[in-house]
Amino acid sequence: MEQTRDDLLILFDVDGTLTTPRQPITEEMKSFLYQSVLPRATLGVVGGSDLDKMCEQLNGQEFLQKFDYVFPENGLVHYEAGKAMGKMSISQHLGEDVLKRFINFCLHYIADLELPIKRGTFVEFRNGMLNISPIGRNCSTEERKEFEAYDRTHRVRQTMIDRLREQFAEVDLTYSIGGQISFDVYPVGWDKTFCLRHVAKRPKPFREIHFFGDKTSPGGNDYEIFSHSQTIGHTVVSPDDTRKQLAELLKL
């Protein structure tokens, strides 16, 4: 039986997969996705960032109409065929007391942290998660690269996560390192596999679900969905690698 686009779902991470970190998608990648891949497969994108950041990287709201599924914040926010379908709230789930205590601890910890530089926006509150950045999200592209290299040696993010796990052991939280400068914190089960709950509601199940991501090792924010029993995982190292592996998969 010939496979149609309704049989195959391809889910993508954003940073490091469809784009270089925090940079806009190239015209070349857009053309490849919309002209070559879209006729052959159902497309979905799942990222830790909120919708505004996705729009910055994926050329405004055009991608909302092109991608069949759009899952900002790991799918805690859900768009289908360009329409908002609903969202979850970490503040309601955890309660304000726990949330306030957690944020206060993070801010005190970062205040005492010795780093070569610090910028601004150390804790970013999203619907389904908190994003914690020891250097601050307002750093430049060059400063991002410098911190990423510094972090590989000094394990700043992992050390902070270890402290948070000790301090908030009674709270059911997952910590996931993604991108260059930050890590995400969310309730257990609210990782990128959350988006599969929405996909499962489809009347006709997909024959195959493929996921492409760059942070697929344990502790990376693509690991859970990459290794999930319902998906076929693909590890990529760049947008160019994503295109190459997609072309091989779809025999383009």
Side-chain angles (χ1 to χ4, degrees):
M1 186 185 298
E2 186 178 349
Q3 183 165 277
T4 68
R5 76 178 300 271
D6 289 335
D7 293 324
L8 176 65
L9 171 62
I10 301 180
L11 289 169
F12 300 95
D13 167 51
V14 182
D15 264 8
T17 303
L18 292 181
T19 77
T20 53
R22 294 301 306 138
Q23 297 301 305
I25 192 168
T26 64
E27 288 298 321
E28 190 178 28
M29 176 62 93
K30 272 176 51 186
S31 175
F32 177 71
L33 288 174
Y34 299 157
Q35 294 178 25
S36 301
V37 181
L38 188 58
R40 295 169 178 257
T42 301
L43 296 187
V45 60
V46 53
S49 297
D50 59 25
L51 182 64
D52 287 344
K53 288 191 177 63
M54 276 193 173
C55 286
E56 285 175 18
Q57 290 183 257
L58 299 178
N59 197 40
Q61 297 208 349
E62 175 193 23
F63 81 102
L64 278 172
Q65 308 303 323
K66 297 287 189 180
F67 281 80
D68 303 84
Y69 294 100
V70 174
F71 299 120
E73 302 184 42
N74 291 354
L76 279 302
V77 179
H78 171 205
Y79 286 81
E80 207 167 313
K83 296 179 181 176
M85 306 297 286
K87 60 186 177 182
M88 302 287 286
S89 166
I90 190 173
S91 58
Q92 289 180 359
H93 184 85
L94 295 180
E96 289 299 338
D97 287 345
V98 171
L99 194 58
K100 183 170 65 175
R101 186 161 56 89
F102 188 92
I103 291 172
N104 285 347
F105 183 88
C106 287
L107 292 173
H108 281 294
Y109 182 96
I110 292 170
D112 293 334
L113 196 57
E114 287 297 328
L115 293 176
I117 62 168
K118 289 182 184 176
R119 293 300 179 248
T121 311
F122 302 101
V123 177
E124 185 172 89
F125 180 83
R126 301 173 182 171
N127 288 293
M129 68 178 71
L130 297 172
N131 180 266
I132 313 297
S133 177
I135 185 179
R137 296 193 62 87
N138 294 350
C139 56
S140 68
T141 299
E142 191 56 40
E143 288 164 346
R144 282 173 167 269
K145 293 176 182 176
E146 289 169 2
F147 176 81
E148 185 179 31
Y150 183 88
D151 190 49
R152 275 198 294 271
T153 302
H154 295 87
R155 292 170 52 84
V156 177
R157 289 182 287 181
Q158 188 58 55
T159 302
M160 185 173 179
I161 286 171
D162 292 343
R163 282 289 309 279
L164 286 165
R165 280 201 175 108
E166 290 173 13
Q167 194 71 22
F168 295 90
E170 80 286 359
V171 186
D172 227 8
L173 293 172
T174 296
Y175 302 85
S176 183
I177 293 175
Q180 298 170 296
I181 60 167
S182 64
F183 60 91
D184 295 329
V185 184
Y186 43 79
V188 170
W190 287 24
D191 52 59
K192 287 185 179 178
T193 62
F194 196 92
C195 76
L196 299 176
R197 304 183 193 189
H198 304 306
V199 174
K201 295 173 184 175
R202 188 173 186 262
K204 180 190 174 187
F206 290 103
R207 189 179 299 171
E208 289 181 0
I209 300 174
H210 290 257
F211 172 77
F212 287 77
D214 66 319
K215 295 288 192 296
T216 57
S217 300
N221 64 355
D222 295 326
Y223 173 72
E224 289 82 4
I225 190 168
F226 167 82
S227 58
H228 196 276
S229 61
Q230 293 177 21
T231 68
I232 300 167
H234 303 262
T235 302
V236 300
V237 296
S238 68
D240 285 343
D241 189 29
T242 300
R243 284 185 57 203
K244 179 185 173 190
Q245 292 194 38
L246 262 178
E248 291 171 357
L249 173 68
L250 298 174
K251 298 179 171 59
L252 296 172

